[in-house]
Amino acid sequence: MSVRTLTGGLAAALVMSLPLTAGPAAAAPPDAAEAPLAARVLTYDAGGSAEFRSAVDRGAAIWNESVDAVELRPVAAGQRANIRVLADNGWPRALPTTLGNGTVYIGRQAVDQGYDTIRISSHELGHILGLPDRKPGPCSSLMSGSTAGISCTNPYPDAAEKAEVEGNFG
């Protein structure tokens, strides 16, 4: 037997046995371009939204169903929320402070006129997510707001609105 053959055979045996003796294999890190980004979590406090609490929760759920880059969650007890939601007797409005932060008012004036509470909630949350009003506009556009009329109950963002929020938070 030559030394050369023995060395080559020994090296091959060692290489073959390394995976068995080196312990559990670690998964290779995914390619950065393929790894999905985690959604940015924004919390909301609907404690002051009175009779509109379920509409606010549904509006947040609609955004969660519609986009991947951001997730709206109710604030945990004792924590400060990104978004405060209040009910008042005025017209619905949002007062963003920075992207993803601010105050939403679910105004009873629009509700009394017949506008849909879930559409109002989803629309005003859209402002906090960086979307402007798009008036006048069709019912298919969530950000058309009141110009779609009281018969419009569509609470879902259209494809362009979804893409804009994804871009804002992606």
Side-chain angles (χ1 to χ4, degrees), residues 106-166:
I106 308 295
R108 291 182 183 98
Q109 184 177 355
V111 175
D112 291 346
Q113 290 180 22
Y115 289 95
D116 183 74
T117 57
I118 297 172
R119 179 173 167 84
I120 292 169
S121 175
S122 188
H123 172 92
E124 298 306 335
L125 288 169
H127 287 307
I128 301 295
L129 300 176
L131 299 178
D133 280 322
R134 297 215 166 82
K135 296 179 178 180
C139 183
S140 60
S141 168
L142 175 63
M143 299 314 291
S144 68
S146 63
T147 63
I150 60 171
S151 64
C152 178
T153 60
N154 170 39
Y156 290 92
D158 65 20
E161 293 161 339
K162 290 176 195 179
E164 190 171 344
V165 170
E166 295 286 13

Side-chain angles (χ1 to χ4, degrees), residues 27-36:
D31 183 276
E34 295 176 17

